[in-house]
């Protein structure tokens, strides 16, 4: 349901507010599966060029509408929302390289793990775009941060940890490539309700 403000999106939005301004200001930020795009709007408020993406056209329309109604003009000028299927590697590669990637939500399907990992490699510049032959082996490596809030809530399922095996498998695979620099339960910092089971995770390359 991309038309709901999920606790994971709220958690990332508040987390971004807590981050040093210099970490976000002037950065290229992309949100995958944005829904209503609250994290992207916060990034734009903090001075980033924020691109909110979702596979659902209606979600993108609502994200644009919410940004237009809630962001001041200068922040709105830095916000954009568009349709994107992150399983389409050519479409992802065409967007270029980003400094920060935001992912709010549960990783429901194991089938999405590999496409999401591949999208992150492209967006963070750790893999060349499709059909690229000449990739420089030398030079400084691009710095990229991936900010996630994943897990669940008793409001969604009586089993607080339902769906966690899939999420943990994905996080482990990502950690092998990048390495997590922060991992904590979002509710420990007041980012989600006390009964939620969402984890906030930051990967930095």
């Amino acid at each position: 349901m991309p038309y709901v403000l999920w606790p994971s999106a709220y958690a990332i939005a508040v987390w971004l507010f807590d981050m040093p301004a210099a970490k976000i200001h002037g950065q290229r930020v992309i949100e995958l599966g944005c829904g209503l795009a609250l994290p992207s709007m916060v990034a734009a408020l903090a001075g980033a060029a924020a691109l909110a993406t979702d596979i659902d056209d209606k979600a993108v329309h609502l994200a644009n509408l919410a940004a237009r109604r809630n962001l001041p003009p200068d922040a709105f000028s830095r916000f954009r929302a568009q349709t994107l299927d992150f399983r389409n590697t050519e479409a992802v590669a065409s967007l270029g390289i980003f400094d920060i990637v935001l992912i709010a939500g549960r990783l429901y399907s194991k089938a999405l793990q590999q496409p999401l990992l591949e999208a992150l490699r492209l967006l963070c510049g750790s893999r060349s775009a499709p059909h690229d032959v000449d990739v420089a082996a030398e030079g400084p490596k691009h710095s990229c941060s991936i900010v996630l809030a994943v897990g669940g809530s008793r409001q969604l399922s009586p089993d607080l940890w339902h769906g966690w095996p899939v999420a943990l498998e994905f996080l482990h695979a990502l950690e092998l490539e990048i390495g997590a620099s922060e991992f904590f339960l979002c509710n420990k910092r007041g980012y989600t309700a006390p009964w939620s089971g969402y984890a906030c995770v930051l990967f930095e390359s």
Side-chain angles (χ1 to χ4, degrees):
M1 288 187 291
Y3 323 130
V4 174
L5 179 57
W6 294 99
S8 53
Y10 184 84
I12 288 184
V14 180
W15 193 6
L16 291 177
F17 270 125
D18 274 358
M19 290 182 182
K23 188 176 182 67
I24 303 170
H25 185 84
Q27 301 296 293
R28 292 194 78 215
V29 176
I30 185 169
E31 183 177 1
L32 301 179
C34 68
L36 298 178
L38 180 62
S40 293
M41 285 189 271
V42 171
L45 275 172
L51 174 61
T53 68
D54 201 290
I55 196 172
D56 190 298
D57 289 330
K58 189 171 182 182
V60 170
H61 170 72
L62 290 173
N64 272 314
L65 186 63
R68 183 177 295 277
R69 288 183 175 178
N70 292 285
L71 291 178
D74 64 324
F76 182 68
S77 70
R78 294 187 295 271
F79 176 91
R80 187 161 57 94
Q82 72 175 60
T83 305
L84 176 72
D85 182 351
F86 64 72
R87 296 170 298 183
N88 183 333
T89 55
E90 292 198 1
V92 171
S94 71
L95 298 175
I97 295 174
F98 288 79
D99 304 299
I100 302 174
V101 184
L102 309 175
I103 303 173
R106 296 169 64 182
L107 298 165
Y108 290 102
S109 172
K110 189 173 181 177
L112 292 176
Q113 286 187 21
Q114 279 308 123
L116 184 53
L117 282 170
E118 185 65 8
L120 291 172
R121 293 181 189 119
L122 290 167
L123 294 169
C124 285
S126 59
R127 186 176 100 68
S128 61
H131 313 308
D132 271 3
V133 179
D134 226 355
V135 180
E138 302 298 327
K141 185 179 178 183
H142 177 70
S143 175
C144 182
S145 299
I146 303 169
V147 183
L148 303 98
V150 295
S153 166
R154 288 196 180 97
Q155 291 174 311
L156 304 177
S157 169
D159 178 6
L160 183 62
W161 307 109
H162 175 73
W164 258 103
V166 173
L168 288 174
E169 187 176 337
F170 173 79
L171 294 175
H172 178 65
L174 189 55
E175 185 176 24
L176 290 176
E177 295 198 20
I178 299 178
S181 61
E182 279 193 78
F183 185 106
F184 58 92
L185 288 177
C186 303
N187 61 14
K188 296 301 182 182
R189 296 189 187 176
Y191 296 166
T192 58
W195 56 82
S196 77
Y198 287 94
C200 290
V201 192
L202 174 64
F203 294 88
E204 293 182 303
S205 63

